[in-house]
Amino acid sequence: MIANFNEYGIIASILVWLSSGFLPFLFQNLKNTKIFFIPTFISSLLIVYFASFLLSQETCETLILPLGLLDFPFLIRIDSLSSFFLIILGLSSAGISLHASSYFRDIKGRPFQTTFVFYHLFLVGMAWVFIANDGYSFLIAWELMALTSYFLVTVNHHSLESRRAGFIYLLISHIGALALLLALGVAQHGMGNFSFDLLRQVTLAPLWKMLALLLAFLGFAFKAGLVPFHVWLPEAHPAAPSPISAIMSGVMVKTAIYGFIRFAFDILGGNFPSWVGLILLIIGLFSAFYAVIYAIAQTDMKRLLAFSTIENMGLIFAITGLSLSFSSMNNSDLSALALVAVLYHCLSHAFFKSLLFLSTGNVLHATGERNLGKLGGLIRFMPWVAILSLIGVIGMAGLPPLNGFVSEWLMLQSFLSFAELSENYLRLIMPLCAALFILVAGLAGYMSVKFFGVIFLGQPREKKLNSATDALLTEKIALSYFAFSCFMLGIFPSFFISVLKPIAYFILKQKDSLEIFPNEALTLVPISIEKASYNPLLYLIFILGVTLVLFTMVRFIYHRNTRRIEPWRCGLTTLTPRMQDTAEGFGQPLKNVFGQFMKISQNHFNAFDDKPKYISVIHDLLWEQLYIPIIKIVEKSSRLIAKIQQGKINIYLTYNVVALIILLVIVRWKSY
């Protein structure tokens, strides 16, 4: 009864989202649009509240909604995996809606109304994906999520950039949806019933099972933005408003993680050969490596964050593959350890990436610039945004003691358990994968330094930056909410892992054997304290202590004996922004090393140019080498097919006559 109450509470909260999206149409004369976000904020928190009671339940009940077609009713099931992703959605949407209530202050009238209704339908679509228990309603929810987010990406439809980004996103989304449809078709094995409860009972032949997994992976990889299906992400995020980018990067791409875990471990039952997990691991690591290199080279702050999302999705899929490999060798504890790392990173990434996208929204509002080459020195004009962004940047860099470090450290512990693998070839390859993982983590730190340093430190590169103002009160509260969440996840990981651990065992259909994460109050121990442990609170005290000692020494000892003089400026009279490192300067060493992964076009100038201008553009190599040839083939084929369209009635009648003759010949031939 209690479980039913919580499930109905979640459904009721989703319906509040659905209905509150139409409030601006009912109260068109209301000038303060912030009020419209109050039901959204409350519903988000209610979803978190109700879902938290379902996190540890071992049994699930299926609800049938009186919707859909006669033979295809909508089935709902909320188990611990669904509850966890609903909590991510609720926590993220609460903070993002709070920020959006101020961010959309400049949008009035019909554009605000349509944006508002699509925003809420987008939330409903994501929640529906997490609770759907049949392929029919799952695909409808998937399409609802894709279509509404398309309209949000193209909210500025007067811009060619937005329309192009929206078209690429919609095309990629539908290719992925087609793959998912085929995957469900294979998984139902001719039953004609797409209920997930029945799909779990189907025993597929190994070949069909692998085909279903391959199609499902393709479908979810398109949504997650894994390389080479990532091309929509760097286009969609700069085009969309920042709160939309935050919810897309923080939550929407997680629907792919949820879907793949649901499909691979739950519906198909796991138990794949170990090489399947290895292939997934390699694809994920390559995706992360490819994305982090491009992120470092970016000069657009939102494109940089978009590539960072691709990198994080790559790491999550890689560790999911590692969990599949452990599971195939019947090592449930290590498989659960990897899954806990995956779930923790999903939560961490949702918080720090939402925080950073919202921060870029504030920078964009204050300066009108996304180009890193024209920003700088904003810490003195936007101190709140700068300090809170620094917390998100530390999380994104995976530095202790914040949340990004905990999840990446758990991922590394999963890699370092390769000695437990029974397959020799895996024990041989795993150290190389661990080294690549560490390289990606190091490069992510480099990228984070670039993001914060170029935007907030140094001197303003444009005069207009001197008039930049800090975030509004509501925006400061929203940013502080995400920063506080990052801090709590980083300092008290043991508490959150005690919640995630049963979910991992639920996914694996195993009882909690207490082999991993033995109960330690403040110390994080993945397997045993002799192998590895981490106490974030102790680490925080150490950092604060060292900082205090250094500050005291510099402030009261070093400065007392220091003689202040003007700095030497290479003969120049003043320091100018031209003397500080640029966004391109930060990325130049990596471009020199990994230039083979990029296509770089540069416009150099010489001493005789009247208006010398240096332009360097980083092209996505896969877009140039893979997608453009496909586009050319499609265009050429379309032109050939278009020749059939003559616009003359006699030509069309000729087509009919020829078709009729061919059909008669076929029928006559069959009759023999």
Side-chain angles (χ1 to χ4, degrees):
M1 184 62 192
I2 297 296
N4 278 337
F5 176 76
N6 293 315
E7 289 168 359
Y8 286 125
I10 290 172
I11 294 171
S13 303
I14 294 171
L15 290 176
V16 173
W17 271 349
L18 181 64
S19 55
S20 58
F22 298 92
L23 288 177
F25 291 99
L26 299 177
F27 303 97
Q28 297 186 20
N29 296 325
L30 197 63
K31 295 182 179 178
N32 188 357
T33 54
K34 285 184 181 180
I35 296 174
F36 294 136
F37 285 93
I38 293 176
T40 315
F41 179 76
I42 295 173
S43 307
S44 301
L45 294 182
L46 283 176
I47 283 179
V48 175
Y49 173 78
F50 290 121
S52 63
F53 290 102
L54 303 174
L55 273 175
S56 58
Q57 69 169 356
E58 296 181 355
T59 59
C60 310
E61 295 184 18
T62 300
L63 304 177
I64 301 176
L65 294 185
L67 298 170
L69 301 176
L70 184 61
D71 295 330
F72 297 99
F74 289 173
L75 304 181
I76 300 296
R77 195 180 91 151
I78 308 175
D79 55 22
S80 58
L81 181 63
S82 304
S83 304
F84 172 71
F85 281 93
L86 281 172
I87 287 175
I88 291 181
L89 174 60
L91 290 173
S92 301
S93 63
I96 292 169
S97 299
L98 194 63
H99 188 275
S101 65
S102 291
Y103 187 86
F104 289 127
R105 59 185 179 274
D106 295 333
I107 307 178
K108 304 292 182 188
R110 184 66 64 181
F112 174 77
Q113 293 167 352
T114 51
T115 302
F116 196 77
V117 71
F118 283 128
Y119 175 72
H120 285 79
L121 287 174
F122 185 38
L123 295 179
V124 171
M126 286 187 287
W128 192 357
V129 165
F130 295 142
I131 65 176
N133 195 40
D134 67 283
Y136 176 54
S137 57
F138 181 86
L139 286 176
I140 290 178
W142 194 263
E143 283 298 292
L144 176 66
M145 179 177 69
L147 286 174
T148 50
S149 52
Y150 161 75
F151 286 115
L152 291 169
V153 168
T154 57
V155 66
N156 184 19
H157 59 274
H158 299 294
S159 163
L160 177 63
E161 179 193 17
S162 293
R163 294 200 300 273
R164 180 177 183 272
F167 174 74
I168 293 173
Y169 169 57
L170 197 63
L171 183 64
I172 295 283
S173 294
H174 280 86
I175 295 173
L178 181 62
L180 290 180
L181 179 64
L182 294 174
L184 287 166
V186 174
Q188 58 92 21
H189 199 54
M191 290 191 308
N193 192 318
F194 291 88
S195 163
F196 287 171
D197 289 334
L198 291 177
L199 294 185
R200 291 182 184 97
Q201 300 171 14
V202 173
T203 302
L204 291 172
L207 183 62
W208 288 109
K209 188 174 178 179
M210 293 298 299
L211 180 61
L213 181 70
L214 174 64
L215 290 168
F217 169 73
L218 288 174
F220 294 121
F222 277 106
K223 183 64 73 179
L226 288 187
V227 175
F229 316 119
H230 64 288
V231 290
W232 67 269
L233 259 165
E235 303 295 330
H237 282 312
S242 291
I244 306 305
S245 299
I247 200 86
M248 288 177 73
S249 184
V251 184
M252 191 192 75
V253 294
K254 306 296 186 310
T255 59
I257 307 299
Y258 163 80
F260 185 76
I261 292 175
R262 173 71 71 195
F263 212 87
F265 288 92
D266 187 15
I267 294 177
L268 294 181
N271 297 321
F272 297 99
S274 57
W275 55 265
V276 173
L278 177 65
I279 291 175
L280 190 60
L281 172 65
I282 293 172
I283 293 173
L285 284 178
F286 175 74
S287 183
F289 179 67
Y290 185 92
V292 77
I293 291 173
Y294 271 89
I296 291 170
Q298 294 306 309
T299 55
D300 183 305
M301 60 181 176
K302 293 187 77 173
R303 285 179 68 88
L304 184 151
L305 293 180
F307 274 106
S308 168
T309 296
I310 299 168
E311 174 233 330
N312 282 280
M313 289 302 103
L315 292 181
I316 290 173
F317 265 93
I319 304 304
T320 306
L322 190 58
S323 177
L324 275 176
S325 291
F326 282 127
S327 177
S328 68
M329 287 173 274
N330 297 319
N331 196 330
S332 300
D333 287 324
L334 290 182
S335 182
L337 171 63
L339 277 178
V340 167
V342 166
L343 298 177
Y344 207 97
H345 200 63
C346 285
L347 191 58
S348 293
H349 181 259
F351 286 147
F352 69 69
K353 195 49 68 71
S354 298
L355 171 59
L356 291 176
F357 266 117
L358 295 180
S359 300
T360 59
N362 286 113
V363 171
L364 194 56
H365 251 169
T367 65
E369 280 294 342
R370 293 197 329 246
N371 190 337
L372 292 170
K374 296 182 179 180
L375 294 170
L378 290 179
I379 193 170
R380 68 190 68 175
F381 311 113
M382 306 176 71
W384 269 89
V385 175
I387 297 302
L388 295 173
S389 296
L390 180 60
I391 294 174
V393 164
I394 294 174
M396 182 170 67
L399 295 176
L402 292 187
N403 54 342
F405 174 78
V406 175
S407 50
E408 292 192 5
W409 186 73
L410 290 175
M411 290 180 177
L412 184 61
Q413 295 306 314
S414 303
F415 273 115
L416 296 180
S417 302
F418 67 89
E420 305 288 336
L421 295 167
S422 58
E423 300 283 355
N424 290 330
Y425 76 96
L426 284 176
R427 285 206 297 270
L428 183 67
I429 295 173
M430 212 51 70
L432 299 176
C433 294
L436 184 57
F437 172 81
I438 293 170
L439 175 62
V440 170
L443 292 174
Y446 187 89
M447 170 193 66
S448 304
V449 171
K450 171 184 174 178
F451 177 82
F452 185 80
V454 173
I455 295 175
F456 294 106
L457 302 183
Q459 295 188 26
R461 292 181 173 84
E462 300 275 338
K463 287 184 179 179
K464 64 180 180 181
L465 301 186
N466 294 324
S467 59
T469 55
D470 214 344
L472 300 179
L473 178 61
T474 314
E475 293 170 331
K476 288 176 184 174
I477 294 172
L479 296 178
S480 303
Y481 162 80
F482 282 115
F484 179 73
S485 302
C486 291
F487 183 79
M488 294 298 288
L489 277 174
I491 300 301
F492 302 106
S494 297
F495 169 75
F496 296 101
I497 284 174
S498 66
V499 176
L500 298 181
K501 183 179 164 184
I503 302 173
Y505 280 106
F506 172 81
I507 295 169
L508 296 170
K509 299 181 175 62
Q510 298 287 332
K511 293 290 184 183
D512 188 346
S513 63
L514 297 177
E515 289 294 326
I516 61 169
F517 300 112
N519 293 326
E520 296 285 344
L522 295 173
T523 303
L524 185 58
V525 181
I527 299 173
S528 68
I529 202 163
E530 290 80 13
K531 290 185 176 179
S533 65
Y534 168 61
N535 189 319
L537 197 58
L538 195 62
Y539 198 90
L540 177 64
I541 294 171
F542 174 75
I543 290 176
L544 293 177
V546 170
T547 305
L548 183 63
V549 169
L550 287 176
F551 175 79
T552 305
M553 291 175 65
V554 171
R555 181 74 176 81
F556 298 103
I557 300 175
Y558 180 74
H559 279 178
R560 182 182 299 173
N561 302 318
T562 302
R563 184 165 59 95
R564 288 182 173 274
I565 60 171
E566 288 293 318
W568 184 66
R569 306 182 182 109
C570 302
L572 300 175
T573 55
T574 57
L575 289 172
T576 70
R578 292 172 59 85
M579 298 176 184
Q580 62 196 27
D581 205 354
T582 63
E584 289 205 3
F586 261 98
Q588 191 61 36
L590 269 296
K591 281 193 282 188
N592 292 337
V593 175
F594 299 109
Q596 296 300 321
F597 283 88
M598 305 172 183
K599 182 180 179 183
I600 305 172
S601 61
Q602 292 180 317
N603 176 31
H604 292 285
F605 55 88
N606 56 48
F608 302 100
D609 287 341
D610 295 333
K611 295 180 179 179
K613 195 172 185 179
Y614 170 73
I615 299 174
S616 177
V617 180
I618 309 295
H619 301 275
D620 192 329
L621 189 64
L622 284 172
W623 177 262
E624 302 283 342
Q625 301 293 332
L626 178 63
Y627 286 91
I628 287 184
I630 293 175
I631 292 170
K632 288 181 178 177
I633 292 172
V634 171
E635 287 178 343
K636 192 172 182 179
S637 305
S638 301
R639 281 195 293 271
L640 289 174
I641 295 172
K643 291 181 178 177
I644 299 174
Q645 184 78 20
Q646 297 290 328
K648 298 177 180 176
I649 188 68
N650 55 337
I651 298 293
Y652 297 144
L653 289 173
T654 306
Y655 292 158
N656 289 336
V657 170
V658 171
L660 187 60
I661 293 171
I662 292 173
L663 287 173
L664 288 171
V665 170
I666 292 173
V667 171
R668 183 68 176 170
W669 177 64
K670 286 287 185 183
S671 64
Y672 282 107

